[in-house]
Amino acid sequence: MKIMTCPINGPRPITEFAYGGEVRPMPDPNTVDDATWAAYIYNRNSIPGIKQEWWCHVPSNTWFIAERNTLTDEILRTYLYAEAQEGVA
Amino acid sequence: MPLNLLKFALSKAHPEPAMFTPRDRLKPSYDAVIIGAGGHGLAAAYYLARDYGMTNVAVLEKGYLGGGNTGRNTTIIRSNYLTPEGVKFYDESVRLWQDLSQEFDLNLFYSNRGHFTLAHTDASLRTMRWRAEVNKHFGIASELVGPEEIQKACPQMDVSCGGKAPVLGALYHAPGSIARHDAVAWGYGRGADQRGVEIHQQTEVFGIQTKAGKVTGVQTSKGEIATEKVLCAVAGSTPRLLHGLGLRSPLYIHPLQAMVSEPMKPWLDPIIVSGSLHVYVSQTARGELVMGASLDPYELHSTRSTLDFVEGLCAHMLELFPFLSHVKIVRQWAGMADMTPDFAPIMGKTEIEGFYLDAGWGTWGFKATPICGKTMAYTLVHDRNHDLIQDFSLDRFKTFALVGEKGAASVGH
Ligand SMILES: Cc1cc2nc3c(=O)[nH]c(=O)nc-3n(C[C@H](O)[C@H](O)[C@H](O)COP(=O)(O)OP(=O)(O)OC[C@H]3O[C@@H](n4cnc5c(N)ncnc54)[C@H](O)[C@@H]3O)c2cc1C
C-alpha cells in the first residue's frame, strides 16, 4: 500500500487521500480576456515531472500541498498551504 | 505423431511468411510521417495507402507495434453513446469492424456478444433511458431492459448484488462486441506494409520541426527526416510532443488498469458493465475473464500496476458474481489514458500547418480504431477535417464548444 504523509495526521494509506490537481495561479476573472480564461479553465500541463499538487486527507478534510514526481510517483514533500506562503515570503 | 509434428515445425518446407518487412534505415524524406504504431496510427497508414495510394509513408514507433494502449485495452466495441456527434461516429466504426477479418485475411476474433450497462440507481436508469432514445433516433439497437431480461442473458449474476445495490435495469446494446486487440494492430500494420508503407519500430520521435508555422520534419532516435505532414497518434504521450510545438491542450494523463482471470469453461456470453460498481467484464474465446474498472485517481505517466486495484475490482466482481470466489487472477497491467474534460477525442487539423492530431482517446478509443484511421487519412490527404470529426477539433476548448460525451467508459457519471 502506498503511503502519503498528511502534514497534520502523519503517514496514512494513499486511499485516504483525494487528488485536487496541480497548483495553478488563477487569472483575475474580472479583467482577464476570454482566451486566457478558456486556457486557464481547460488547459493542463501534462508533461511528466515534479509538480506541486493539491491533495486532501479525506477523513480529516485537510487540504495541503504535495510535491510529487508524476513520472515515478515518488512523493517528495507535503506541507500546508500556509507554510508554502511563508516559504515564499 | 508428436515426432512428426516436431519435424514439421523444424522443416523449412512450409515457412510462415513474416508479418512485416524488417526495416533498417530511415529514408531522408517521406510524404507523411505517422508517430505511433498503435491501432490508430496503423489504421491511418492503411487507409492512406489503400484509399489514396499514398505509400511513401513512415510509421515510427518508439517501442513495439501495438504495445501501447492498443495491446492493453479490454476490447469492448459499441456505439451506444450519448451525444449525436458520438453516436454517428462510433456507429460508423462498428460497421467497419464487421468486415475487417475478411479484409485482412486475419482472424480478429470479432465476437458479437451484446452489451449490458447495469443501472443500480434511479438516476442511472434515467440516463440509460436518455441514451436509449438518442441511440434509437439514429437507428442504433439500444433499449432499456429490466432485471428479468438481464437474468435471462446472464443467469450467474446476483442481480440483488447481495442486497447492497440491486440491479434495477440495464441499457442493452445488441451490437456490443469484443475483438482480439493485437490482431487489429497486426492486420492494419500488415495491410499497410504490403502496400509499401514503412513501419519502423524502436524509433522514437523527439520533436517535430516547423518553419513559419508549417511542419518541415521530425527528429528521431535514428536521425532527422524531412516531411510536410505529420500525424501524431501517441495516446498517453501526446502532451510531451505538443509541448515541443508550443501547443497547449486540456489532455490529462491517468493510468487505466485491467486484469484477467485464469481460463474457465465458457459461462459469460454478454459483456457486462456497471458504472456504479466500476466493473466491466467479458469472457474471451480462451475462457479468461477480462476485467477493468475506473481510471486511477491521479496523474501518472507510467504503466505501473497496484494491488489496490485488484482488491477493489475483485470485491465488486464478487458482489455481482459471488460464485467466482475461488477463481484466481493471473495477470494485471496498465495503460496511460489521455483524457479530455468532455470525454470526446481531439482530432484533426491544428494551428500548425501539416500537423494533425488523433488523441484524447482515453479509455474509449479501441472501438474507434477503424473510423479514426479512415477519417484521419481523409483529413491528412485533403488538409480538411473529415465531416465526422468536425466537432472534435482542439479549437473547441478556445470557444467553449465542448461535446459532453457522458457515455464514455471508466468515468463516473
Ligand atoms: C486498460 C485499458 C482498457 C481500455 N478498454 C477499452 C475498451 O474496452 N474499449 C475501447 O474502445 N477502448 C478502451 N481503451 C482505450 C484504448 O485502448 C485506446 O484509446 C486506444 O487503444 C488508443 O489507440 P492508439 O493507437 O491511439 O494509441 P496506442 O495504442 O497507445 O499507440 C500509441 C503508440 O505511440 C507510441 N509512442 C508514444 N510516444 C512516441 C514517440 N515519441 N515516438 C514514437 N512512438 C511513440 C507508443 O509506444 C504507442 O505504441 C482502454 C485503455 C486501457 C489502458
Side-chain angles (χ1 to χ4, degrees), chain B residues 310-330:
Chain B
V310 178
E311 282 181 341
L313 180 49
C314 286
H316 287 310
M317 276 295 294
L318 291 179
E319 286 179 283
L320 281 176
F321 304 108
F323 77 101
L324 291 177
S325 60
H326 292 287
V327 172
K328 308 238 173 340
I329 300 302
V330 293

Side-chain angles (χ1 to χ4, degrees), chain B residues 239-321:
Chain B
R240 304 180 212 186
L241 285 173
L242 292 186
H243 182 68
L245 283 168
L247 290 176
R248 299 194 64 202
S249 83
L251 292 171
Y252 59 100
I253 313 297
H254 288 212
L256 181 66
Q257 304 192 47
M259 64 187 195
V260 291
S261 73
E262 59 188 325
M264 280 168 271
K265 303 204 279 209
W267 62 270
L268 180 65
D269 189 39
I271 305 157
I272 305 286
V273 176
S274 164
S276 315
L277 294 181
H278 300 298
V279 167
Y280 46 99
V281 56
S282 65
Q283 190 172 22
T284 67
R286 272 200 303 228
E288 306 150 320
L289 296 179
V290 177
M291 292 163 274
S294 50
L295 204 60
D296 272 21
Y298 58 86
E299 176 180 349
L300 190 63
H301 302 260
S302 135
T303 51
R304 64 96 178 89
S305 312
T306 65
L307 182 62
D308 295 3
F309 165 78
V310 178
E311 282 181 341
L313 180 49
C314 286
H316 287 310
M317 276 295 294
L318 291 179
E319 286 179 283
L320 281 176
F321 304 108

Side-chain angles (χ1 to χ4, degrees), chain B residues 35-41 60-64 66-77 203-206 233-237 241 256-258 280 333-338 358 361-369:
Chain B
I35 315 175
H40 287 218
L60 309 181
E61 166 57 51
K62 73 172 174 190
Y64 61 95
N69 292 352
T70 296
R72 296 165 189 269
N73 71 80
T74 45
T75 80
I76 299 172
I77 297 164
T203 309
E204 179 166 2
V205 172
F206 297 133
V234 297
S237 304
L241 285 173
L256 181 66
Q257 304 192 47
Y280 46 99
W333 65 90
M336 290 190 294
D338 43 336
D358 176 9
W361 278 108
T363 63
W364 55 86
F366 175 67
K367 64 182 74 60
T369 304

Side-chain angles (χ1 to χ4, degrees), chain B residues 352-363:
Chain B
I352 293 168
E353 209 181 310
F355 182 70
Y356 306 89
L357 251 185
D358 176 9
W361 278 108
T363 63

